[in-house]
mmCIF file with all atom_site columns, all heavy atoms in Angstrom:
data_model
loop_
_atom_site.group_PDB
_atom_site.id
_atom_site.type_symbol
_atom_site.label_atom_id
_atom_site.label_alt_id
_atom_site.label_comp_id
_atom_site.label_asym_id
_atom_site.label_entity_id
_atom_site.label_seq_id
_atom_site.pdbx_PDB_ins_code
_atom_site.Cartn_x
_atom_site.Cartn_y
_atom_site.Cartn_z
_atom_site.occupancy
_atom_site.B_iso_or_equiv
_atom_site.pdbx_formal_charge
_atom_site.auth_seq_id
_atom_site.auth_comp_id
_atom_site.auth_asym_id
_atom_site.auth_atom_id
_atom_site.pdbx_PDB_model_num
ATOM 1   N N   . GLU A 1 93  ? -10.246 23.416 44.609 1.00 0.00 ? 93  GLU A N   1
ATOM 2   C CA  . GLU A 1 93  ? -9.940  23.025 45.984 1.00 0.00 ? 93  GLU A CA  1
ATOM 3   C C   . GLU A 1 93  ? -8.897  21.915 46.017 1.00 0.00 ? 93  GLU A C   1
ATOM 4   O O   . GLU A 1 93  ? -8.188  21.759 47.025 1.00 0.00 ? 93  GLU A O   1
ATOM 5   C CB  . GLU A 1 93  ? -11.205 22.574 46.718 1.00 0.00 ? 93  GLU A CB  1
ATOM 6   C CG  . GLU A 1 93  ? -11.923 21.381 46.103 1.00 0.00 ? 93  GLU A CG  1
ATOM 7   C CD  . GLU A 1 93  ? -13.006 21.787 45.118 1.00 0.00 ? 93  GLU A CD  1
ATOM 8   O OE1 . GLU A 1 93  ? -12.947 22.942 44.620 1.00 0.00 ? 93  GLU A OE1 1
ATOM 9   O OE2 . GLU A 1 93  ? -13.899 20.967 44.844 1.00 0.00 ? 93  GLU A OE2 1
ATOM 10  N N   . GLY A 1 94  ? -8.769  21.171 44.942 1.00 0.00 ? 94  GLY A N   1
ATOM 11  C CA  . GLY A 1 94  ? -7.793  20.093 44.903 1.00 0.00 ? 94  GLY A CA  1
ATOM 12  C C   . GLY A 1 94  ? -6.379  20.568 44.622 1.00 0.00 ? 94  GLY A C   1
ATOM 13  O O   . GLY A 1 94  ? -5.416  19.891 44.985 1.00 0.00 ? 94  GLY A O   1
ATOM 14  N N   . ILE A 1 95  ? -6.219  21.726 43.951 1.00 0.00 ? 95  ILE A N   1
ATOM 15  C CA  . ILE A 1 95  ? -4.879  22.200 43.605 1.00 0.00 ? 95  ILE A CA  1
ATOM 16  C C   . ILE A 1 95  ? -4.528  23.507 44.308 1.00 0.00 ? 95  ILE A C   1
ATOM 17  O O   . ILE A 1 95  ? -3.431  24.030 44.106 1.00 0.00 ? 95  ILE A O   1
ATOM 18  C CB  . ILE A 1 95  ? -4.736  22.401 42.087 1.00 0.00 ? 95  ILE A CB  1
ATOM 19  C CG1 . ILE A 1 95  ? -5.620  23.570 41.602 1.00 0.00 ? 95  ILE A CG1 1
ATOM 20  C CG2 . ILE A 1 95  ? -5.060  21.134 41.329 1.00 0.00 ? 95  ILE A CG2 1
ATOM 21  C CD1 . ILE A 1 95  ? -5.282  24.014 40.195 1.00 0.00 ? 95  ILE A CD1 1
ATOM 22  N N   . ARG A 1 96  ? -5.443  24.025 45.145 1.00 0.00 ? 96  ARG A N   1
ATOM 23  C CA  . ARG A 1 96  ? -5.215  25.329 45.774 1.00 0.00 ? 96  ARG A CA  1
ATOM 24  C C   . ARG A 1 96  ? -3.855  25.392 46.460 1.00 0.00 ? 96  ARG A C   1
ATOM 25  O O   . ARG A 1 96  ? -3.071  26.326 46.274 1.00 0.00 ? 96  ARG A O   1
ATOM 26  C CB  . ARG A 1 96  ? -6.325  25.620 46.791 1.00 0.00 ? 96  ARG A CB  1
ATOM 27  C CG  . ARG A 1 96  ? -6.266  27.010 47.399 1.00 0.00 ? 96  ARG A CG  1
ATOM 28  C CD  . ARG A 1 96  ? -7.128  27.071 48.668 1.00 0.00 ? 96  ARG A CD  1
ATOM 29  N NE  . ARG A 1 96  ? -8.477  26.587 48.427 1.00 0.00 ? 96  ARG A NE  1
ATOM 30  C CZ  . ARG A 1 96  ? -9.492  27.363 48.051 1.00 0.00 ? 96  ARG A CZ  1
ATOM 31  N NH1 . ARG A 1 96  ? -9.304  28.661 47.895 1.00 0.00 ? 96  ARG A NH1 1
ATOM 32  N NH2 . ARG A 1 96  ? -10.688 26.840 47.853 1.00 0.00 ? 96  ARG A NH2 1
ATOM 33  N N   . GLY A 1 97  ? -3.563  24.375 47.274 1.00 0.00 ? 97  GLY A N   1
ATOM 34  C CA  . GLY A 1 97  ? -2.303  24.384 48.005 1.00 0.00 ? 97  GLY A CA  1
ATOM 35  C C   . GLY A 1 97  ? -1.099  24.042 47.158 1.00 0.00 ? 97  GLY A C   1
ATOM 36  O O   . GLY A 1 97  ? 0.038   24.187 47.614 1.00 0.00 ? 97  GLY A O   1
ATOM 37  N N   . ALA A 1 98  ? -1.328  23.581 45.921 1.00 0.00 ? 98  ALA A N   1
ATOM 38  C CA  . ALA A 1 98  ? -0.219  23.155 45.065 1.00 0.00 ? 98  ALA A CA  1
ATOM 39  C C   . ALA A 1 98  ? 0.144   24.185 44.011 1.00 0.00 ? 98  ALA A C   1
ATOM 40  O O   . ALA A 1 98  ? 1.122   23.991 43.286 1.00 0.00 ? 98  ALA A O   1
ATOM 41  C CB  . ALA A 1 98  ? -0.578  21.834 44.382 1.00 0.00 ? 98  ALA A CB  1
ATOM 42  N N   . VAL A 1 99  ? -0.602  25.279 43.911 1.00 0.00 ? 99  VAL A N   1
ATOM 43  C CA  . VAL A 1 99  ? -0.375  26.242 42.833 1.00 0.00 ? 99  VAL A CA  1
ATOM 44  C C   . VAL A 1 99  ? 1.022   26.851 42.916 1.00 0.00 ? 99  VAL A C   1
ATOM 45  O O   . VAL A 1 99  ? 1.770   26.875 41.931 1.00 0.00 ? 99  VAL A O   1
ATOM 46  C CB  . VAL A 1 99  ? -1.448  27.342 42.854 1.00 0.00 ? 99  VAL A CB  1
ATOM 47  C CG1 . VAL A 1 99  ? -1.062  28.487 41.919 1.00 0.00 ? 99  VAL A CG1 1
ATOM 48  C CG2 . VAL A 1 99  ? -2.794  26.773 42.433 1.00 0.00 ? 99  VAL A CG2 1
ATOM 49  N N   . ALA A 1 100 ? 1.409   27.339 44.085 1.00 0.00 ? 100 ALA A N   1
ATOM 50  C CA  . ALA A 1 100 ? 2.716   27.982 44.221 1.00 0.00 ? 100 ALA A CA  1
ATOM 51  C C   . ALA A 1 100 ? 3.865   27.016 43.960 1.00 0.00 ? 100 ALA A C   1
ATOM 52  O O   . ALA A 1 100 ? 4.744   27.304 43.129 1.00 0.00 ? 100 ALA A O   1
ATOM 53  C CB  . ALA A 1 100 ? 2.844   28.631 45.606 1.00 0.00 ? 100 ALA A CB  1
ATOM 54  N N   . PRO A 1 101 ? 3.916   25.847 44.637 1.00 0.00 ? 101 PRO A N   1
ATOM 55  C CA  . PRO A 1 101 ? 5.023   24.932 44.336 1.00 0.00 ? 101 PRO A CA  1
ATOM 56  C C   . PRO A 1 101 ? 5.010   24.427 42.899 1.00 0.00 ? 101 PRO A C   1
ATOM 57  O O   . PRO A 1 101 ? 6.069   24.251 42.285 1.00 0.00 ? 101 PRO A O   1
ATOM 58  C CB  . PRO A 1 101 ? 4.825   23.782 45.330 1.00 0.00 ? 101 PRO A CB  1
ATOM 59  C CG  . PRO A 1 101 ? 3.431   23.900 45.822 1.00 0.00 ? 101 PRO A CG  1
ATOM 60  C CD  . PRO A 1 101 ? 3.097   25.338 45.759 1.00 0.00 ? 101 PRO A CD  1
ATOM 61  N N   . ALA A 1 102 ? 3.819   24.218 42.325 1.00 0.00 ? 102 ALA A N   1
ATOM 62  C CA  . ALA A 1 102 ? 3.751   23.760 40.936 1.00 0.00 ? 102 ALA A CA  1
ATOM 63  C C   . ALA A 1 102 ? 4.258   24.831 39.986 1.00 0.00 ? 102 ALA A C   1
ATOM 64  O O   . ALA A 1 102 ? 4.942   24.520 38.988 1.00 0.00 ? 102 ALA A O   1
ATOM 65  C CB  . ALA A 1 102 ? 2.318   23.373 40.585 1.00 0.00 ? 102 ALA A CB  1
ATOM 66  N N   . ALA A 1 103 ? 3.948   26.094 40.263 1.00 0.00 ? 103 ALA A N   1
ATOM 67  C CA  . ALA A 1 103 ? 4.433   27.189 39.420 1.00 0.00 ? 103 ALA A CA  1
ATOM 68  C C   . ALA A 1 103 ? 5.951   27.281 39.459 1.00 0.00 ? 103 ALA A C   1
ATOM 69  O O   . ALA A 1 103 ? 6.602   27.509 38.429 1.00 0.00 ? 103 ALA A O   1
ATOM 70  C CB  . ALA A 1 103 ? 3.800   28.507 39.855 1.00 0.00 ? 103 ALA A CB  1
ATOM 71  N N   . VAL A 1 104 ? 6.529   27.105 40.646 1.00 0.00 ? 104 VAL A N   1
ATOM 72  C CA  . VAL A 1 104 ? 7.987   27.133 40.765 1.00 0.00 ? 104 VAL A CA  1
ATOM 73  C C   . VAL A 1 104 ? 8.603   25.936 40.044 1.00 0.00 ? 104 VAL A C   1
ATOM 74  O O   . VAL A 1 104 ? 9.610   26.059 39.333 1.00 0.00 ? 104 VAL A O   1
ATOM 75  C CB  . VAL A 1 104 ? 8.409   27.144 42.253 1.00 0.00 ? 104 VAL A CB  1
ATOM 76  C CG1 . VAL A 1 104 ? 9.927   27.030 42.386 1.00 0.00 ? 104 VAL A CG1 1
ATOM 77  C CG2 . VAL A 1 104 ? 7.921   28.417 42.932 1.00 0.00 ? 104 VAL A CG2 1
ATOM 78  N N   . LEU A 1 105 ? 7.990   24.759 40.191 1.00 0.00 ? 105 LEU A N   1
ATOM 79  C CA  . LEU A 1 105 ? 8.489   23.562 39.518 1.00 0.00 ? 105 LEU A CA  1
ATOM 80  C C   . LEU A 1 105 ? 8.397   23.701 37.997 1.00 0.00 ? 105 LEU A C   1
ATOM 81  O O   . LEU A 1 105 ? 9.250   23.177 37.270 1.00 0.00 ? 105 LEU A O   1
ATOM 82  C CB  . LEU A 1 105 ? 7.692   22.343 39.991 1.00 0.00 ? 105 LEU A CB  1
ATOM 83  C CG  . LEU A 1 105 ? 8.156   20.958 39.508 1.00 0.00 ? 105 LEU A CG  1
ATOM 84  C CD1 . LEU A 1 105 ? 9.610   20.708 39.890 1.00 0.00 ? 105 LEU A CD1 1
ATOM 85  C CD2 . LEU A 1 105 ? 7.258   19.871 40.084 1.00 0.00 ? 105 LEU A CD2 1
ATOM 86  N N   . ALA A 1 106 ? 7.374   24.417 37.529 1.00 0.00 ? 106 ALA A N   1
ATOM 87  C CA  . ALA A 1 106 ? 7.179   24.593 36.085 1.00 0.00 ? 106 ALA A CA  1
ATOM 88  C C   . ALA A 1 106 ? 8.062   25.689 35.500 1.00 0.00 ? 106 ALA A C   1
ATOM 89  O O   . ALA A 1 106 ? 8.129   25.826 34.275 1.00 0.00 ? 106 ALA A O   1
ATOM 90  C CB  . ALA A 1 106 ? 5.716   24.913 35.788 1.00 0.00 ? 106 ALA A CB  1
ATOM 91  N N   . THR A 1 107 ? 8.742   26.466 36.329 1.00 0.00 ? 107 THR A N   1
ATOM 92  C CA  . THR A 1 107 ? 9.618   27.535 35.832 1.00 0.00 ? 107 THR A CA  1
ATOM 93  C C   . THR A 1 107 ? 11.060  27.303 36.292 1.00 0.00 ? 107 THR A C   1
ATOM 94  O O   . THR A 1 107 ? 11.930  26.970 35.494 1.00 0.00 ? 107 THR A O   1
ATOM 95  C CB  . THR A 1 107 ? 9.113   28.898 36.309 1.00 0.00 ? 107 THR A CB  1
ATOM 96  O OG1 . THR A 1 107 ? 8.882   28.863 37.737 1.00 0.00 ? 107 THR A OG1 1
ATOM 97  C CG2 . THR A 1 107 ? 7.806   29.265 35.618 1.00 0.00 ? 107 THR A CG2 1
ATOM 98  N N   . VAL A 1 108 ? 11.294  27.444 37.585 1.00 0.00 ? 108 VAL A N   1
ATOM 99  C CA  . VAL A 1 108 ? 12.636  27.213 38.119 1.00 0.00 ? 108 VAL A CA  1
ATOM 100 C C   . VAL A 1 108 ? 13.057  25.768 37.884 1.00 0.00 ? 108 VAL A C   1
ATOM 101 O O   . VAL A 1 108 ? 14.192  25.490 37.474 1.00 0.00 ? 108 VAL A O   1
ATOM 102 C CB  . VAL A 1 108 ? 12.690  27.545 39.629 1.00 0.00 ? 108 VAL A CB  1
ATOM 103 C CG1 . VAL A 1 108 ? 14.060  27.202 40.214 1.00 0.00 ? 108 VAL A CG1 1
ATOM 104 C CG2 . VAL A 1 108 ? 12.365  29.013 39.862 1.00 0.00 ? 108 VAL A CG2 1
ATOM 105 N N   . GLY A 1 109 ? 12.126  24.839 38.133 1.00 0.00 ? 109 GLY A N   1
ATOM 106 C CA  . GLY A 1 109 ? 12.435  23.424 37.907 1.00 0.00 ? 109 GLY A CA  1
ATOM 107 C C   . GLY A 1 109 ? 12.785  23.131 36.459 1.00 0.00 ? 109 GLY A C   1
ATOM 108 O O   . GLY A 1 109 ? 13.691  22.341 36.173 1.00 0.00 ? 109 GLY A O   1
ATOM 109 N N   . VAL A 1 110 ? 12.068  23.760 35.532 1.00 0.00 ? 110 VAL A N   1
ATOM 110 C CA  . VAL A 1 110 ? 12.363  23.585 34.109 1.00 0.00 ? 110 VAL A CA  1
ATOM 111 C C   . VAL A 1 110 ? 13.771  24.088 33.797 1.00 0.00 ? 110 VAL A C   1
ATOM 112 O O   . VAL A 1 110 ? 14.541  23.427 33.081 1.00 0.00 ? 110 VAL A O   1
ATOM 113 C CB  . VAL A 1 110 ? 11.319  24.321 33.249 1.00 0.00 ? 110 VAL A CB  1
ATOM 114 C CG1 . VAL A 1 110 ? 11.822  24.514 31.824 1.00 0.00 ? 110 VAL A CG1 1
ATOM 115 C CG2 . VAL A 1 110 ? 10.008  23.542 33.232 1.00 0.00 ? 110 VAL A CG2 1
ATOM 116 N N   . ALA A 1 111 ? 14.132  25.251 34.345 1.00 0.00 ? 111 ALA A N   1
ATOM 117 C CA  . ALA A 1 111 ? 15.461  25.808 34.103 1.00 0.00 ? 111 ALA A CA  1
ATOM 118 C C   . ALA A 1 111 ? 16.559  24.875 34.618 1.00 0.00 ? 111 ALA A C   1
ATOM 119 O O   . ALA A 1 111 ? 17.568  24.647 33.946 1.00 0.00 ? 111 ALA A O   1
ATOM 120 C CB  . ALA A 1 111 ? 15.576  27.183 34.770 1.00 0.00 ? 111 ALA A CB  1
ATOM 121 N N   . VAL A 1 112 ? 16.358  24.336 35.824 1.00 0.00 ? 112 VAL A N   1
ATOM 122 C CA  . VAL A 1 112 ? 17.340  23.402 36.392 1.00 0.00 ? 112 VAL A CA  1
ATOM 123 C C   . VAL A 1 112 ? 17.490  22.175 35.497 1.00 0.00 ? 112 VAL A C   1
ATOM 124 O O   . VAL A 1 112 ? 18.607  21.726 35.191 1.00 0.00 ? 112 VAL A O   1
ATOM 125 C CB  . VAL A 1 112 ? 16.923  22.982 37.822 1.00 0.00 ? 112 VAL A CB  1
ATOM 126 C CG1 . VAL A 1 112 ? 17.820  21.850 38.330 1.00 0.00 ? 112 VAL A CG1 1
ATOM 127 C CG2 . VAL A 1 112 ? 16.991  24.171 38.766 1.00 0.00 ? 112 VAL A CG2 1
ATOM 128 N N   . SER A 1 113 ? 16.361  21.614 35.063 1.00 0.00 ? 113 SER A N   1
ATOM 129 C CA  . SER A 1 113 ? 16.386  20.429 34.211 1.00 0.00 ? 113 SER A CA  1
ATOM 130 C C   . SER A 1 113 ? 17.090  20.707 32.888 1.00 0.00 ? 113 SER A C   1
ATOM 131 O O   . SER A 1 113 ? 17.890  19.885 32.412 1.00 0.00 ? 113 SER A O   1
ATOM 132 C CB  . SER A 1 113 ? 14.959  19.942 33.955 1.00 0.00 ? 113 SER A CB  1
ATOM 133 O OG  . SER A 1 113 ? 14.945  18.800 33.143 1.00 0.00 ? 113 SER A OG  1
ATOM 134 N N   . VAL A 1 114 ? 16.834  21.858 32.298 1.00 0.00 ? 114 VAL A N   1
ATOM 135 C CA  . VAL A 1 114 ? 17.462  22.218 31.023 1.00 0.00 ? 114 VAL A CA  1
ATOM 136 C C   . VAL A 1 114 ? 18.977  22.309 31.178 1.00 0.00 ? 114 VAL A C   1
ATOM 137 O O   . VAL A 1 114 ? 19.743  21.799 30.339 1.00 0.00 ? 114 VAL A O   1
ATOM 138 C CB  . VAL A 1 114 ? 16.891  23.549 30.499 1.00 0.00 ? 114 VAL A CB  1
ATOM 139 C CG1 . VAL A 1 114 ? 17.697  24.054 29.305 1.00 0.00 ? 114 VAL A CG1 1
ATOM 140 C CG2 . VAL A 1 114 ? 15.436  23.386 30.092 1.00 0.00 ? 114 VAL A CG2 1
ATOM 141 N N   . VAL A 1 115 ? 19.432  22.939 32.241 1.00 0.00 ? 115 VAL A N   1
ATOM 142 C CA  . VAL A 1 115 ? 20.875  23.108 32.458 1.00 0.00 ? 115 VAL A CA  1
ATOM 143 C C   . VAL A 1 115 ? 21.554  21.753 32.668 1.00 0.00 ? 115 VAL A C   1
ATOM 144 O O   . VAL A 1 115 ? 22.600  21.470 32.078 1.00 0.00 ? 115 VAL A O   1
ATOM 145 C CB  . VAL A 1 115 ? 21.129  24.038 33.660 1.00 0.00 ? 115 VAL A CB  1
ATOM 146 C CG1 . VAL A 1 115 ? 22.614  24.040 34.028 1.00 0.00 ? 115 VAL A CG1 1
ATOM 147 C CG2 . VAL A 1 115 ? 20.677  25.457 33.336 1.00 0.00 ? 115 VAL A CG2 1
ATOM 148 N N   . VAL A 1 116 ? 20.957  20.906 33.507 1.00 0.00 ? 116 VAL A N   1
ATOM 149 C CA  . VAL A 1 116 ? 21.571  19.601 33.791 1.00 0.00 ? 116 VAL A CA  1
ATOM 150 C C   . VAL A 1 116 ? 21.652  18.750 32.521 1.00 0.00 ? 116 VAL A C   1
ATOM 151 O O   . VAL A 1 116 ? 22.702  18.170 32.207 1.00 0.00 ? 116 VAL A O   1
ATOM 152 C CB  . VAL A 1 116 ? 20.784  18.854 34.888 1.00 0.00 ? 116 VAL A CB  1
ATOM 153 C CG1 . VAL A 1 116 ? 21.325  17.435 35.063 1.00 0.00 ? 116 VAL A CG1 1
ATOM 154 C CG2 . VAL A 1 116 ? 20.874  19.609 36.212 1.00 0.00 ? 116 VAL A CG2 1
ATOM 155 N N   . VAL A 1 117 ? 20.556  18.662 31.773 1.00 0.00 ? 117 VAL A N   1
ATOM 156 C CA  . VAL A 1 117 ? 20.557  17.875 30.534 1.00 0.00 ? 117 VAL A CA  1
ATOM 157 C C   . VAL A 1 117 ? 21.496  18.518 29.507 1.00 0.00 ? 117 VAL A C   1
ATOM 158 O O   . VAL A 1 117 ? 22.200  17.814 28.763 1.00 0.00 ? 117 VAL A O   1
ATOM 159 C CB  . VAL A 1 117 ? 19.135  17.736 29.968 1.00 0.00 ? 117 VAL A CB  1
ATOM 160 C CG1 . VAL A 1 117 ? 19.155  17.040 28.609 1.00 0.00 ? 117 VAL A CG1 1
ATOM 161 C CG2 . VAL A 1 117 ? 18.260  16.942 30.931 1.00 0.00 ? 117 VAL A CG2 1
ATOM 162 N N   . GLY A 1 118 ? 21.520  19.858 29.466 1.00 0.00 ? 118 GLY A N   1
ATOM 163 C CA  . GLY A 1 118 ? 22.407  20.542 28.537 1.00 0.00 ? 118 GLY A CA  1
ATOM 164 C C   . GLY A 1 118 ? 23.876  20.243 28.811 1.00 0.00 ? 118 GLY A C   1
ATOM 165 O O   . GLY A 1 118 ? 24.652  19.995 27.879 1.00 0.00 ? 118 GLY A O   1
ATOM 166 N N   . VAL A 1 119 ? 24.261  20.249 30.069 1.00 0.00 ? 119 VAL A N   1
ATOM 167 C CA  . VAL A 1 119 ? 25.648  19.921 30.433 1.00 0.00 ? 119 VAL A CA  1
ATOM 168 C C   . VAL A 1 119 ? 25.977  18.484 30.032 1.00 0.00 ? 119 VAL A C   1
ATOM 169 O O   . VAL A 1 119 ? 27.061  18.201 29.498 1.00 0.00 ? 119 VAL A O   1
ATOM 170 C CB  . VAL A 1 119 ? 25.873  20.139 31.948 1.00 0.00 ? 119 VAL A CB  1
ATOM 171 C CG1 . VAL A 1 119 ? 27.227  19.574 32.376 1.00 0.00 ? 119 VAL A CG1 1
ATOM 172 C CG2 . VAL A 1 119 ? 25.791  21.622 32.286 1.00 0.00 ? 119 VAL A CG2 1
#
Side-chain angles (χ1 to χ4, degrees):
E93 60 268 20
I95 68 167
R96 186 196 308 269
V99 169
V104 174
L105 186 57
T107 50
V108 176
V110 163
V112 171
S113 180
V114 170
V115 171
V116 173
V117 174
V119 170

